[in-house]
Amino acid sequence: MTMRPVHPSPQPTPASPLDFRRVVNPYGPDWTLLQAVRDADHAALPDPAYAAARRALAGLHHLDAAGVVPGLGLPDLVDRLIRAIGAGDGGLAVLGDPWDDVVPWLADRDTPARPIALPERDAAGRSPLSGLALDGVKLLLVRPPEFRAGCPWGARDWHTLADRCAAVGAVVAVDESLAPFTARPVPGSLPGLVRLRSPGEAHGLPGVRAAYALLPGELAGRVAGLAAPSALPAGTLAVLEALPGAAGFLHETLPRVLQHAGSLAAALERFGPVQHAGGPVVALRLPGAEAARTALAARGLLLGGDEETLLACTRRPGENAALVAALAEHLGVGRGRQTESPAPAGSRVGRGVFRLTGRR
């Protein structure tokens, strides 16, 4: 079946690198949000209470507007959370993979963040989160494992994590930027939970610094009070206010994105063990991954990972095919035909199963 284009977005020129390192909707930008930015009144100061944006986001998530706090990107919200909770002096920890946007920002500000590795699940399949060492932690930043193609958590894992944090009096802040891609949102009724959303990736507008937090009302008041008056520009607020009307773009494009990711996972299986948790990220275990990444970068194909793993965030079929062909040529493997077929639910595994280390 031929899929009609969502809009006539420009395709990369031969001189443009294809960046597979960041999760972003390759069918963006969402013209609904782009038009909202263009139509915003940039000559007027925004409402310092951001009432319209808070009402729109509260309606989108069926919550009270008092529990919604808009922000200028995730670093802004994390900064205010740290100050509101008093976690800046050794009380901050990061569980799992580092946050690409937030961790470098913390390092620049000399804010210590304790890294905590994701523990292995035991042979009985019990949640590995009940025994986390969280002594002294006031704020735990969590990026769900499917950000790096890891095995996704179920509701029991999230409840276990919330109970463990509640036992030590810690607040959990979860990066939900990938939730629209995976259709596996964090359970919203957990105590002490802060949900951080950055819609730019799912709507193909990663350069728009729009973000918001969903959090308990009392903490929301403290976090909101730490923002400078009228700190958010009119374009950012326009994006947040327009999100409820932009759901159609996600419904039309994200199933395609997941289909492309499944096809990319299948095409990469001939090179080594593949892990794909059903989201947009595919991981390939490959000896000499660092050398392969360097060789592909010379061809204008940018990938993430570490010395043992290549990580690719899916793009459109033709761009994925270019990656597979370049990797086959680098490895001296005969070129095969990449097919476009629906991705199966759950994990997709090639010639073996492996666990990502969390190294970038």
Side-chain angles (χ1 to χ4, degrees):
M1 179 180 68
T2 301
M3 290 184 283
R4 63 182 179 87
V6 179
H7 62 80
S9 60
Q11 294 302 296
T13 65
S16 302
L18 295 177
D19 195 343
F20 293 84
R21 295 172 300 181
R22 181 165 188 167
V23 176
V24 64
N25 190 331
Y27 287 100
D30 181 343
W31 281 66
T32 301
L33 300 186
L34 205 58
Q35 192 62 46
V37 174
R38 292 171 175 169
D39 293 343
D41 186 357
H42 297 276
L45 285 175
D47 169 18
Y50 314 132
R54 295 176 77 173
R55 284 196 302 268
L57 295 170
L60 180 63
H61 293 280
H62 308 290
L63 298 172
D64 192 291
V68 180
V69 178
L72 192 61
L74 292 183
D76 170 39
L77 293 170
V78 171
D79 172 64
R80 286 192 266 162
L81 275 171
I82 292 171
R83 289 187 285 146
I85 296 171
D89 188 17
L92 179 66
V94 179
L95 177 63
D97 291 322
W99 293 28
D100 300 342
D101 298 333
V102 173
V103 169
W105 174 83
L106 292 174
D108 290 342
R109 293 174 57 91
D110 294 325
T111 302
R114 183 198 314 174
I116 301 178
L118 284 171
E120 298 280 352
R121 193 177 296 273
D122 64 22
R126 288 185 289 265
S127 174
L129 302 169
S130 58
L132 286 179
L134 298 179
D135 294 341
V137 173
K138 298 178 181 177
L139 176 62
L140 180 66
L141 305 180
V142 179
R143 170 162 283 185
E146 55 263 33
F147 259 97
R148 288 294 178 265
C151 182
W153 289 345
R156 180 178 299 178
D157 294 302
W158 285 111
H159 283 276
T160 299
L161 178 62
D163 291 344
R164 180 71 189 102
C165 289
V168 298
V171 173
V172 186
V174 183
D175 182 353
E176 282 195 324
S177 301
L178 194 60
F181 289 95
T182 63
R184 284 191 294 268
V186 175
S189 60
L190 301 180
L193 178 72
V194 174
R195 301 165 64 189
L196 301 176
R197 288 266 179 154
S198 177
E201 288 78 6
H203 290 271
L205 288 163
V208 174
R209 299 181 64 194
Y212 59 96
L214 307 174
L215 62 176
E218 186 274 333
L219 179 56
R222 283 187 281 152
V223 172
L226 290 172
S230 302
L232 302 188
T236 299
L237 286 173
V239 167
L240 295 177
E241 292 172 20
L243 277 179
F249 175 82
L250 300 183
H251 292 319
E252 184 172 0
T253 61
L254 292 188
R256 305 183 190 185
V257 173
L258 297 184
Q259 182 178 353
H260 302 336
S263 298
L264 177 60
L268 291 176
E269 287 179 355
R270 46 201 277 257
F271 304 124
V274 169
Q275 187 168 0
H276 176 224
V281 184
V282 179
L284 170 66
R285 182 72 170 269
L286 185 71
E290 192 68 46
R293 194 157 36 248
T294 300
L296 292 172
R299 297 168 174 257
L301 305 169
L302 308 179
L303 283 86
D306 54 36
E307 63 269 22
E308 300 172 348
T309 307
L310 293 180
L311 285 174
C313 304
T314 188
R315 296 177 64 102
R316 299 193 194 191
E319 297 162 340
N320 290 345
L323 169 61
V324 174
L327 184 58
E329 185 173 341
H330 169 71
L331 297 175
V333 178
R335 294 179 63 177
R337 182 171 65 89
Q338 182 183 3
T339 59
E340 186 69 21
S341 57
S347 298
R348 183 180 189 105
V349 180
R351 294 192 293 272
V353 180
F354 66 96
R355 181 176 179 81
L356 300 183
T357 62
R359 290 172 292 180
R360 176 80 184 185

